[in-house]
Amino acid sequence: MKTTLKITSTEKITTIRLSESAKRELESFGHAGQTHEEILLGVLRQLKNLKLPSKTNVTATGEAIGIKYGRLNRTLNIEIDQEKYSLVCIFNDISFIPFTKSTEWELDLEIANIKIGSGSWKDPLSLNSKTRLLLYFIALKQILEDLFNIKLYEILNLDDYLNYDKWKAIYTIHQLSMESFRTDAEEKLRNVQ
């Protein structure tokens, strides 16, 4: 049986009563600037992810932590100045990370295939390097927002996607892994500078 999507003109707003200690505990799961609703939706999404089998394994030996990542894929549809793209992205399964913020991780994002408009799928290397890099950072932003239930308001226009200082601020403000910053953002941004 297929799920029916119910669309209404306005969403019904309700209230949830919490003790002060429960409110503080809920806020500890959030990031700067998030509303209580956004935090709660993020926690619920993370709990759903825990039910899904993950191929990522974390092992700890003494003070060393080793991570063997499973890989996930997602197709993103992007429109830039009237040009439409579809990207097949492959990245590390870091679904366990939001509950263990102190763990360093890397996304290791890769664009595997690309389709421009209604054309056929192509190797991403067929695009010019600046367009390919821009699409990479658009995908990186979207995947980080989805995985961590955050909004990256620091990036608002095309130039922002290739701005080193904006990406450094994002990783710092949202307390994301600096290992990810180095491998997933900084190394690629060096090609732009």
Side-chain angles (χ1 to χ4, degrees), residues 12-68:
K12 182 180 177 185
I13 302 296
T14 63
T15 59
I16 297 175
R17 188 173 176 165
L18 298 173
S19 67
E20 192 66 32
S21 61
K23 180 183 172 211
R24 281 193 302 273
E25 184 69 24
L26 177 63
E27 289 170 346
S28 73
F29 285 99
H31 300 284
Q34 280 189 305
T35 65
H36 290 108
E37 182 175 355
E38 290 171 334
I39 295 168
L40 191 54
L41 288 171
V43 169
L44 292 172
R45 184 179 307 129
Q46 292 165 6
L47 288 171
K48 285 180 187 175
N49 285 341
L50 288 177
K51 292 181 182 177
L52 300 174
S54 174
K55 293 182 180 174
T56 297
N57 294 315
V58 179
T59 56
T61 308
E63 292 184 24
I65 295 175
I67 302 174
K68 182 174 181 194

Side-chain angles (χ1 to χ4, degrees), residues 2 7 21 61 70 72 94 119 129 144 171:
K2 291 195 176 201
I7 309 298
S21 61
T61 308
L72 300 175
I94 58 169
S129 61
L144 288 174
Y171 275 84

Side-chain angles (χ1 to χ4, degrees), residues 76-110:
L76 300 175
N77 296 310
I78 299 168
E79 186 173 327
I80 304 172
D81 296 331
Q82 310 302 319
E83 189 72 63
K84 294 181 180 183
Y85 301 90
S86 292
L87 311 175
V88 176
C89 300
I90 301 171
F91 53 94
N92 288 336
D93 176 5
I94 58 169
S95 58
F96 66 95
I97 295 297
F99 290 114
T100 56
K101 286 184 179 179
S102 62
T103 304
E104 288 291 316
W105 49 268
E106 56 185 83
L107 200 57
D108 193 20
L109 175 64
E110 173 189 344

Side-chain angles (χ1 to χ4, degrees), residues 1 9 29 39 153 174:
M1 179 180 200
S9 58
F29 285 99
I39 295 168
Y153 295 112
H174 297 285

